[in-house]
Amino acid sequence: MDYRKTAEGLLKEFKGDNYLYGRDVLGDVGKVAAAVGKTAVFICDKFPGSDEHIEKIRKSLADAGVTIAKEEAGAGPNAPREDLSRITRAVVDANPDVLVSFGGGSTIDAVKSAEVLRTLGGDIEDYFGTGQVTAVVEKSGKKLTPHIAIQTAASSGAHLTKYSNITDLKTGQKKLVVDEAIVPQFPVFDFSVTYGAPKSLIMDGALDGIAHCLEVLYGAVGNPNYDKVEKIAEAGIGLVVENLPRVIDNPDDLDARDALCLATDMGGYAIMVGGTNGAHLTSFSLIDILSHGRACAMMNPYYTVFFAPAIEKPLKLVGGIYEKAGLLKGDLSSLTDRDLGVAVAEAMLELSRKIGFPVKLSEVEGFTQAHIDRCLTAAKNPQLKMKLENMPTPMTADQIDVYMGSVLEAAKTGDFSVIKTL
């Protein structure tokens, strides 16, 4: 497979002509905004090198006759509830025709939820789970304000998706709003904005893209859309495995950087077709010690072993990608069941080692047994049950301590042998 060509074709299939992406596209944001309104709230992240991009967006809006009624700072990492409240107040005060967000997943997610609260009212707790926003929209007859979501990182794919992750920093727990109604109507991704990103962000984001593709692929086994998911996942995972080491070795390799942008967009497409599961669920309870992408990258090898008996077909596909990159040891064709899972998991860990990532929780500064306890407690929360249901081997609440507990113990020590399978 030509991963890049396939990804570009899939993006066309996914978003048609409604997606503005590639190098140097920020100058066209004003035209998009002017088609839907005359006043905007501009919520933007500030980071090294961002000033020139922000100014380009301002100029584009002004040239198109769109007035910025208010400019507001973006959200902090993991979209804290405090930032959601602040951004909501800004949107309420300005009452814009269109929302323009410029930032990573946290800011885009916060703007998604801020508009829900501004237009539909209530508290964010009312919308955690799946389909709660659509239910209120249909009952009230109200419409959400158009959202131009400008992505700044090859990472979450938040500009393309129905997810809004919001975090309670006091409890250290992240929860999800999952709803088609909050998908940004006008996604934008100028790849050149990512060129100044530090290596840590590049790695975290790229491995988050793998996590989206991988977890959706695992959960799609036996579903009618499996073939479609397989194509998306192969392109996304292949682009990361092929290009992430290139970017780490040479940050000026812009073609490889563009490939990571396409890869994480494949991750965004994947989570619109299916759902993530184990590693994402666990990552929500590790936000105080790990970035989201890093937590998913660390946990997915261990969940791969846990799921192995139920996912032989996707494991052969994923194993082939890592084998092609020289990361998988042994003869893939002769492996089955748990042995296949361990081989693929080891290959995933080898990629992490190659780029300097930790491979077990005990290597992470600040990790304690309390994090495992928090993960197990959160997994039993009904608001997060979609992650359990998306697993290729679905788990009930009364099985969590034994089976998920064994996965977490393995991730703590790096010992696959302690993982118990259903």
Side-chain angles (χ1 to χ4, degrees):
M1 174 189 280
D2 182 329
Y3 300 134
R4 186 187 295 258
K5 184 176 180 180
T6 300
E8 289 172 345
L10 287 166
L11 276 179
K12 182 70 173 178
E13 168 191 295
F14 180 28
K15 288 295 181 181
D17 296 325
N18 290 329
Y19 184 21
L20 182 62
Y21 73 95
R23 296 186 189 181
D24 302 319
V25 300
L26 291 182
D28 293 326
V29 168
K31 297 175 186 176
V32 177
V36 292
K38 292 298 183 183
T39 61
V41 168
F42 183 26
I43 304 97
C44 53
D45 284 353
K46 298 289 183 70
F47 50 87
S50 66
D51 288 351
E52 64 175 295
H53 304 304
I54 291 171
E55 186 55 39
K56 188 176 292 186
I57 295 168
R58 290 183 186 130
K59 184 177 185 305
S60 180
L61 291 169
D63 289 348
V66 178
T67 300
I68 298 176
K70 188 172 181 61
E71 191 168 308
E72 185 72 18
N78 298 300
R81 292 182 69 150
E82 292 81 0
D83 286 345
L84 169 61
S85 296
R86 172 178 54 78
I87 293 169
T88 301
R89 288 194 298 271
V91 178
V92 169
D93 291 345
N95 192 29
D97 300 324
V98 60
L99 302 169
V100 180
S101 61
F102 173 80
S106 295
T107 286
I108 293 173
D109 281 1
V111 174
K112 290 175 182 177
S113 285
E115 170 53 23
V116 168
L117 297 178
R118 191 269 284 230
T119 296
L120 303 181
D123 184 83
I124 193 61
E125 288 282 347
D126 301 331
Y127 302 101
F128 286 138
T130 303
Q132 303 304 315
V133 178
T134 292
V136 177
V137 166
E138 291 176 348
K139 184 177 180 180
S140 67
K142 297 178 179 178
K143 292 183 178 180
L144 299 180
T145 302
H147 180 189
I148 300 173
I150 309 170
Q151 181 61 258
T152 62
S155 181
S156 68
H159 57 304
L160 303 174
T161 73
K162 60 186 175 183
Y163 296 88
S164 175
N165 293 274
I166 304 297
T167 300
D168 186 334
L169 295 179
K170 294 177 182 177
T171 63
Q173 185 61 50
K174 181 185 294 187
K175 292 184 181 179
L176 277 171
V177 178
V178 185
D179 207 296
E180 295 280 349
I182 66 172
V183 178
Q185 295 91 329
F186 304 102
V188 179
F189 193 7
D190 190 327
F191 294 171
S192 62
V193 175
T194 72
Y195 294 166
K199 286 185 178 181
S200 59
L201 179 60
I202 295 167
M203 293 187 291
D204 290 354
L207 292 175
D208 192 16
I210 283 185
H212 290 154
C213 292
L214 189 79
E215 293 175 45
V216 172
L217 178 66
Y218 288 173
V221 173
N223 293 343
N225 66 351
Y226 178 82
D227 289 344
K228 182 176 185 177
V229 171
E230 185 178 75
K231 193 174 182 180
I232 296 167
E234 184 175 8
I237 296 170
L239 283 168
V240 174
V241 172
E242 191 176 78
N243 290 282
L244 179 56
R246 287 175 55 191
V247 174
I248 298 306
D249 289 342
N250 178 18
D252 294 327
D253 187 337
L254 301 188
D255 285 338
R257 281 182 172 270
D258 289 351
L260 295 184
C261 294
L262 289 170
T264 53
D265 276 1
M266 288 298 95
Y269 191 4
I271 58 178
M272 288 297 287
V273 176
T276 55
N277 43 67
H280 266 69
L281 176 56
T282 299
S283 76
F284 294 166
S285 299
L286 300 173
I287 62 163
D288 59 326
I289 56 171
L290 286 166
S291 70
H292 172 68
R294 192 164 296 220
C296 290
M298 291 188 67
M299 291 306 307
N300 261 316
Y302 300 97
Y303 278 105
T304 292
V305 175
F306 176 64
F307 296 144
I311 56 170
E312 183 164 327
K313 186 175 180 180
L315 283 181
K316 290 286 187 181
L317 174 75
V318 174
I321 294 171
Y322 283 86
E323 185 176 45
K324 179 182 176 183
L327 297 166
L328 188 139
K329 300 173 184 177
D331 180 9
L332 185 65
S333 63
S334 67
L335 299 173
T336 60
D337 204 72
R338 189 179 176 108
D339 290 338
L340 175 60
V342 170
V344 174
E346 289 284 9
M348 295 164 67
L349 293 181
E350 186 60 28
L351 176 61
S352 291
R353 293 187 187 100
K354 189 173 183 178
I355 62 173
F357 248 52
V359 296
K360 53 187 178 182
L361 291 173
S362 59
E363 296 174 345
V364 177
E365 184 178 354
F367 170 76
T368 67
Q369 187 65 31
H371 287 94
I372 289 181
D373 297 338
R374 186 194 299 168
C375 290
L376 297 176
T377 298
K380 300 167 190 173
N381 188 319
Q383 291 175 326
L384 296 173
K385 69 178 181 179
M386 80 283 286
K387 300 301 180 190
L388 294 179
E389 294 169 348
N390 288 337
M391 290 185 181
T393 50
M395 206 182 304
T396 59
D398 60 356
Q399 295 172 318
I400 286 170
D401 288 339
V402 173
Y403 293 100
M404 187 179 289
S406 75
V407 174
L408 289 163
E409 286 297 325
K412 179 175 75 173
T413 62
D415 182 3
F416 291 128
S417 69
V418 305
I419 296 173
K420 299 176 182 178
T421 52
L422 283 162

